[in-house]
Amino acid sequence: MAGAGGGNSDVQWCFSQVKGAIDDDVAEADIISTVEFNHSGELLATGDKGGRVVIFQQEPETKNQPQCRGEYNVYSTFQSHEPEFDYLKSLEIEEKINKIRWLPQKNAAQFLLSTNDKTIKLWKISERDKRPEGYNLKEEDGRYRDLNTVTTLRVPVFRPMDLMVEASPRRVFANAHTYHINSISVNSDCETYLSADDLRINLWNLEINDRSFNIVDIKPANMEELTEVITAAEFHPNQCNTFVYSSSKGTIRLCDMRASALCDQHAKQFEEPEDPNNRSFFSEIISSISDVKFSHSGRYMMTRDYLSVKIWDLNMESRPVETYQVHEYLRSKLCSLYENDCIFDKFECCWNGNDSVVMTGSYNNFFRMFDRGYRQDVTLEASRENSKPRSVLKPRKVSTGGKRKKDEISVDSLDFNKKILHTAWHPLDNIIAVATTNNLYIFQEKLN
Amino acid sequence: MLRSVGYLTVCSFSSPAPQRDTMFPKGTKRKFSDSGEEPVSSGDQVPAAPSVATRSLTSSYSLQRQSLLDMSLIKLQLCHMLVEPNLCRSVLIANTVRQIQEEMTQDGTWQIMTQALAAAQCPTDRLVATEVLCRQTDAAAQAGQSPKPFSVGGLEEGYHAEEVVMEGDVETEVTMSTLAPVSPQLSSASYLAGPFVMGPCWDEDEEEEEEEEEEEDGECEEDEEDDSEDCVSEGEEADRDHLSPDSRTGEQVFGTFEIKHPAPPPDPALEELFSDVDPSYYDLDTVLTGMQSAPKMGPYDLLESLSSHGPTALSSSSSCRSDLNELDHIMEIIVGS
């Protein structure tokens, strides 16, 4: 049934496809930096460090293979952002795509927002499968005809052609962010969107690219007093006046734009009191929230900090309603992870279509799913070794005690260079996209 | 020291006691007797030789804490030349340093360390320095202040040094700048013989880190800025606030440590030296050292950069590095030459 995922605790996941280069030598530009399904799930977009966007389209289901849903094949590839040089600061502006967000579809064309550290762009992706033929003044190849040879008059007609997918930039929203953009979010009114950097959040109209409104500003008057930055922001899925933003101190603030033009005063603040038993010098760092996502229903939101995923009820600010440990075995390794900077990795998280299961990534190309209803969790791995078509993924386990069982992997053997930061879940079906460093894995639910 | 990347290293913090979290809880004062309870797994810890007044300092906890502090300072220093560093990461590291500093101040460790550093100076400077530091300490103590927390000061273009590390706390300033690996003088300095028997351990760390950082630019840049107009005006304003007539020694120190941009009056040698340099490069540096340094420094060398500190020195920074004792130079500035 479409939209399921957690209703059945026996969901098995199968390998479906893997995109990207096979060799281990990863080109820096190929590192995937964002993954996003569109609202129908038919299109899957990825952005990479080289500033490119690749869009995959799901093939319609065929009668031949009713067991699996359609495969995703490349639909369009384009260069979204180019590297720039800020001459004032003598610094490069990376072309890495930080986020992609699809707009709800209104007509035949698709629209998405893509952003790097400084500039947001609205792209229109349209199909062209017909072209006009039979011009009076032009040859078929475009050369102009000698007027003397024109003896008849005819009406050009459209004839089918090979499908061509064109991506064109419709708007460029630039020069509004001093700091690095970490989030963009389209409002449910489909007219506005927000962009958030480390210290400010701006509100844009999709039609107007030379003006934006600042709605949150946490920059202190004295920069030396800076102790907290904005890490993520998102609009409520239903209420167009509500958005949330998370911080590096582990707090989430919900703001109502009707209250005032500048939403520095939050309407609600979500924060869990610290556990005094777990206090350490790393407590603040691991409490820093790397991602925040509303549930599809809009009733809950999910936050990801370094070691856990937390589900919050918007009606209760004092503590999350659910907490899931992603890789608690890393708690005793925080110093090493601090030293190699892994502690600053920003993992994302996502909901399934009916908000019953949440998913997030980990190290060693592991990713985790938590079934909220059945209170079960599973660890799976995205690797080429499990990449036989339709092969069922075997749950993985990290051994924390002294004795390591067969098939378990010990904490010290984990590869911290193989991290899954970006995952996405099809809005309706049990299809997931998981990005390793430079490969995109697509897994599907095993259908009988 | 800790080595890393792909796989987890043996980290001195990560020797789990089965019943409890290995992370030392904040605020827990580790007494000397605790040191036996914390097995340290990494091999480069030096056995403690406690002295009377500083037993708590030689526990493995304080060694680990010191190591964490060093690591954090280095992280703040190292930055990419071309791409702006991650502000979130910098803020989190700075907060960590602040936490450690607060705790060490409560322990009394911080002041001991700074006094020990002061004692490592040349005899002529030492008295002055000690006096200055002690004076500052007393003043602060009398005022009931605790040293202001470490802050990532240099986060704005054009904003320089001015409250770089903290207000009114010179010893922290000095300490932080000398904590970074480098000067061979430090490693052999007598202060290490005292409570800080981590000295030899430090040496190793220094050398390793120096080697690792050979390749990297020691150049620092902190993150973003606003309009430079904003920053300059902010800097100047705050600066005026600081240099009030009854400002303490610390304030004077910050006055000397700070370098305004644009610096009046323009020093031709200075101008030439920095003509092709972007001020934002200095910011991280100033966070820890309170001074501008020449760009594109070769091997990471925090103390070397200190020698370029101060208006007089800047014009002859290259000669400073080779000729002057860096710590001497700091003391000169503190004294207010």
Side-chain angles (χ1 to χ4, degrees), chain A residues 88-89 91-92 178-179 219 221 223-224 227 279-281 284 332 335-336 338-339 341 414 416, chain B residues 2 6 9 11 13-14 23-24 72 75 82 84 89 95 98-99 151 156 163 224-226 234 278:
Chain A
L88 193 62
K89 304 182 199 175
L91 292 171
E92 260 189 25
T178 307
Y179 304 95
K219 179 175 186 274
M223 276 299 271
E224 75 162 20
T227 58
R279 186 92 179 85
S280 76
F281 285 121
E284 184 181 317
S332 57
C335 182
S336 302
Y338 179 72
E339 199 234 343
D341 265 12
L414 295 174
F416 288 84
Chain B
L2 315 162
T9 64
C11 173
F13 291 141
S14 64
M23 290 298 114
F24 25 85
S72 304
K75 280 185 183 298
L82 288 177
E84 287 170 289
R89 176 178 172 274
N95 289 351
R98 186 184 286 127
Q99 261 186 279
S151 56
E156 286 186 17
E163 277 119 294
E224 346 288 323
E225 311 90 7
D226 268 323
E234 280 176 27
D278 186 287

Side-chain angles (χ1 to χ4, degrees), chain B:
Chain B
M1 189 49 180
L2 315 162
R3 268 180 224 76
S4 91
V5 188
Y7 294 84
L8 282 179
T9 64
V10 172
C11 173
S12 57
F13 291 141
S14 64
S15 42
Q19 302 87 355
R20 61 177 173 162
D21 195 52
T22 53
M23 290 298 114
F24 25 85
K26 180 181 169 149
T28 300
K29 185 147 186 165
R30 295 299 183 99
K31 301 290 194 301
F32 179 58
S33 58
D34 279 352
S35 58
E37 296 170 8
E38 281 289 309
V40 175
S41 52
S42 93
D44 54 356
Q45 295 290 340
V46 176
S51 80
V52 175
T54 60
R55 285 192 178 170
S56 63
L57 299 175
T58 60
S59 71
S60 62
Y61 171 78
S62 66
L63 288 171
Q64 293 170 354
R65 181 175 62 184
Q66 186 66 48
S67 158
L68 180 61
L69 178 63
D70 298 340
M71 204 195 320
S72 304
L73 292 174
I74 292 161
K75 280 185 183 298
L76 282 175
Q77 291 264 319
L78 297 176
C79 20
H80 305 284
M81 282 301 295
L82 288 177
V83 180
E84 287 170 289
N86 187 332
L87 183 63
C88 181
R89 176 178 172 274
S90 303
V91 166
L92 289 174
I93 298 172
N95 289 351
T96 306
V97 172
R98 186 184 286 127
Q99 261 186 279
I100 297 174
Q101 181 223 317
E102 272 172 21
E103 194 179 286
M104 289 177 80
T105 306
Q106 284 166 13
D107 275 352
T109 324
W110 197 263
Q111 304 200 350
I112 294 172
M113 188 159 48
T114 52
Q115 283 169 11
L117 283 171
Q121 310 303 318
C122 295
T124 49
D125 292 315
R126 176 175 27 176
L127 290 174
V128 177
T130 309
E131 190 206 352
V132 163
L133 291 175
C134 290
R135 218 187 320 139
Q136 180 56 35
T137 310
D138 291 338
Q142 283 161 13
Q145 300 164 355
S146 54
K148 270 241 183 123
F150 172 82
S151 56
V152 190
L155 290 173
E156 286 186 17
E157 179 180 74
Y159 164 89
H160 292 293
E162 150 262 276
E163 277 119 294
V164 107
V165 174
M166 49 213 93
E167 299 175 8
D169 194 333
V170 58
E171 55 245 50
T172 316
E173 169 95 78
V174 173
T175 305
M176 302 256 261
S177 48
T178 51
L179 275 179
V182 178
S183 167
Q185 299 201 341
L186 266 190
S187 57
S188 57
S190 55
Y191 83 94
L192 290 174
F196 288 86
V197 291
M198 59 181 105
C201 166
W202 191 307
D203 262 353
E204 280 176 31
D205 299 347
E206 277 180 19
E207 280 154 24
E208 287 162 16
E209 281 154 3
E210 270 184 278
E211 281 164 16
E212 285 167 24
E213 280 129 30
E214 285 295 323
E215 319 302 327
E216 305 188 2
D217 279 299
E219 196 41 55
C220 302
E221 62 200 7
E222 209 8 340
D223 208 14
E224 346 288 323
E225 311 90 7
D226 268 323
D227 297 330
S228 40
E229 302 160 336
D230 268 1
C231 303
V232 171
S233 60
E234 280 176 27
E236 283 168 353
E237 245 175 41
D239 188 46
R240 280 195 292 275
D241 293 346
H242 274 311
L243 298 178
S244 52
D246 59 344
S247 63
R248 302 174 187 279
T249 314
E251 310 290 353
Q252 290 170 3
V253 169
F254 280 99
T256 52
F257 273 175
E258 105 183 278
I259 294 168
K260 282 210 208 157
H261 180 81
D267 176 352
L270 168 58
E271 290 295 311
E272 197 208 331
L273 190 64
F274 294 105
S275 59
D276 62 342
V277 170
D278 186 287
S280 64
Y281 281 129
Y282 311 146
D283 294 345
L284 249 194
D285 223 33
T286 57
V287 163
L288 295 172
T289 65
M291 49 205 82
Q292 263 185 357
S293 61
K296 303 193 192 296
M297 292 187 332
Y300 164 70
D301 191 331
L302 182 52
L303 273 192
E304 265 197 31
S305 73
L306 296 180
S307 64
S308 57
H309 156 94
T312 51
L314 278 168
S315 51
S316 59
S317 59
S318 52
S319 59
C320 274
R321 283 183 202 153
S322 51
D323 299 343
L324 284 182
N325 175 315
E326 294 91 345
L327 294 175
D328 278 344
H329 193 65
I330 297 171
M331 289 311 139
E332 274 179 23
I333 292 157
I334 290 176
V335 170
S337 56

Side-chain angles (χ1 to χ4, degrees), chain A residues 112 128 161 211 220 224 253-254 279 302 322 375 390 410 448:
Chain A
L112 61 80
R128 190 194 293 253
M161 59 179 260
R211 250 173 306 151
E224 75 162 20
R253 290 180 179 84
L254 184 143
R279 186 92 179 85
M302 163 168 56
E322 294 154 37
R375 294 283 162 172
R390 292 190 292 284
S410 72
N448 299 319

Side-chain angles (χ1 to χ4, degrees), chain A residues 14-25:
Chain A
C14 311
F15 171 85
S16 173
Q17 298 169 269
V18 59
K19 309 283 185 191
I22 298 176
D23 55 354
D24 288 334
D25 204 15

